[in-house]
């Protein structure tokens, strides 16, 4: 009789968890610590680290980018203090960076699903974001995280037209930006639902 082969339960290493700004709440952090104690999970993934409620991206009157990492730092500090690493979903679009800021998904917090109005500005934001993470937490720590580009672009979370090639444009810009910072950064994908587009992506 065949003894079989090991089946590592890799899916038990991560939880999904709403939107990024929720991680600022005290009750969220209490729940995080309780689940960590019960399961010893390693990563948490949530949407919308670039949502305007987190406050990372703004532009001045001349259209120049202004970055504010205050809430980003508090969010990731809270995770790490609980012994949990971020699984970083690079989403959604800040309104002032969106090609169409009225292109929203139907969640109650109305994430903007539009492509960027300017990929140079999108890339510059990602570059500033990741370099800040490395400066704050160190490359060894950040290289142990996972990064993915967007969320389920094949089922309505992406506003590019047509879906697939415009998502690949977003992916190429994003992944190349991160890999230029460090080859050690782990960028997976595509971040599709039900493993959609994987064959074409490969």
């Amino acid at each position: 009789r065949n003894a079989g082969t090991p089946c590592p339960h890799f899916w038990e290493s991560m939880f999904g968890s709403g939107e990024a700004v929720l991680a600022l709440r005290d009750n969220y952090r209490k729940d995080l610590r309780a689940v960590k104690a019960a399961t010893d999970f390693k990563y948490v993934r949530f949407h919308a680290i670039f949502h305007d409620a987190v406050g990372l991206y703004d532009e001045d009157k001349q259209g120049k980018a202004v970055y504010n990492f205050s809430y980003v730092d508090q969010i990731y500090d809270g995770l790490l203090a609980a012994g949990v690493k971020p699984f970083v979903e690079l989403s959604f679009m800040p309104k002032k960076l969106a090609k169409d800021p009225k292109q929203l998904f139907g969640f109650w917090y109305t994430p903007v699903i539009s492509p960027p109005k300017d990929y140079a500005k999108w890339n510059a934001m990602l570059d500033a974001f990741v370099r800040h993470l490395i400066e704050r937490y160190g490359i060894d720590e950040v290289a142990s995280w996972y990064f993915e580009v967007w969320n389920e672009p094949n089922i309505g979370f992406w506003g590019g037209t047509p879906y697939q090639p415009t998502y690949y444009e977003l992916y190429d810009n994003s992944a190349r930006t991160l890999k230029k910072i460090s080859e050690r950064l782990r960028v997976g994908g595509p971040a599709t639902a039900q493993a959609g587009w994987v064959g074409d992506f490969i």
Side-chain angles (χ1 to χ4, degrees):
R1 181 174 175 175
N2 190 335
T5 56
C7 179
H9 289 200
F10 58 85
W11 58 86
E12 294 179 357
S13 296
M14 184 183 76
F15 279 83
S17 174
E19 56 168 323
V21 75
L22 298 176
L24 295 170
R25 296 180 178 180
D26 184 58
N27 62 345
Y28 178 101
R29 294 184 176 189
K30 287 177 180 175
D31 289 347
L32 185 77
R33 292 191 294 270
V35 175
K36 174 68 177 178
T39 68
D40 196 30
F41 76 106
K42 303 296 190 288
Y43 292 88
V44 67
R45 174 189 185 269
F46 41 64
H47 305 306
I49 194 67
F50 301 148
H51 192 284
D52 289 329
V54 178
L56 169 67
Y57 186 86
D58 200 358
E59 292 182 357
D60 64 18
K61 292 179 180 179
Q62 289 72 44
K64 184 178 178 182
V66 178
Y67 305 117
N68 182 342
F69 297 105
S70 177
Y71 281 175
V72 170
D73 292 347
Q74 291 177 56
I75 287 167
Y76 291 144
D77 286 357
L79 297 187
L80 295 171
V84 179
K85 295 176 183 287
F87 191 113
V88 184
E89 175 193 303
L90 301 171
S91 74
F92 287 101
M93 196 61 59
K95 284 185 178 178
K96 289 187 178 180
L97 188 48
K99 186 176 182 180
D100 179 5
K102 295 181 180 179
Q103 199 170 25
L104 308 174
F105 193 79
F107 283 164
W108 69 271
Y109 63 92
T110 58
V112 178
I113 59 171
S114 167
K117 62 186 177 184
D118 183 342
Y119 268 103
K121 288 188 173 185
W122 169 260
N123 294 343
M125 181 187 72
L126 292 185
D127 184 88
F129 171 68
V130 174
R131 289 185 190 279
H132 175 81
L133 297 178
I134 292 171
E135 181 180 350
R136 186 172 183 84
Y137 304 113
I139 185 60
D140 289 341
E141 175 61 38
V142 179
S144 73
W145 302 2
Y146 293 95
F147 292 84
E148 67 174 345
V149 181
W150 215 253
N151 175 71
E152 299 179 326
N154 60 321
I155 60 167
F157 284 92
W158 173 241
T161 305
Y163 269 177
Q164 203 165 344
T166 56
Y167 172 70
Y168 289 166
E169 182 180 15
L170 178 81
Y171 187 94
D172 285 347
N173 275 273
S174 304
R176 291 179 191 279
T177 297
L178 268 63
K179 288 295 187 180
K180 282 180 184 176
I181 297 169
S182 173
E183 286 289 332
R184 296 176 62 190
L185 297 173
R186 301 188 289 192
V187 188
T192 48
Q194 301 174 330
W197 303 350
V198 170
D200 291 339
F201 181 86
I202 291 172

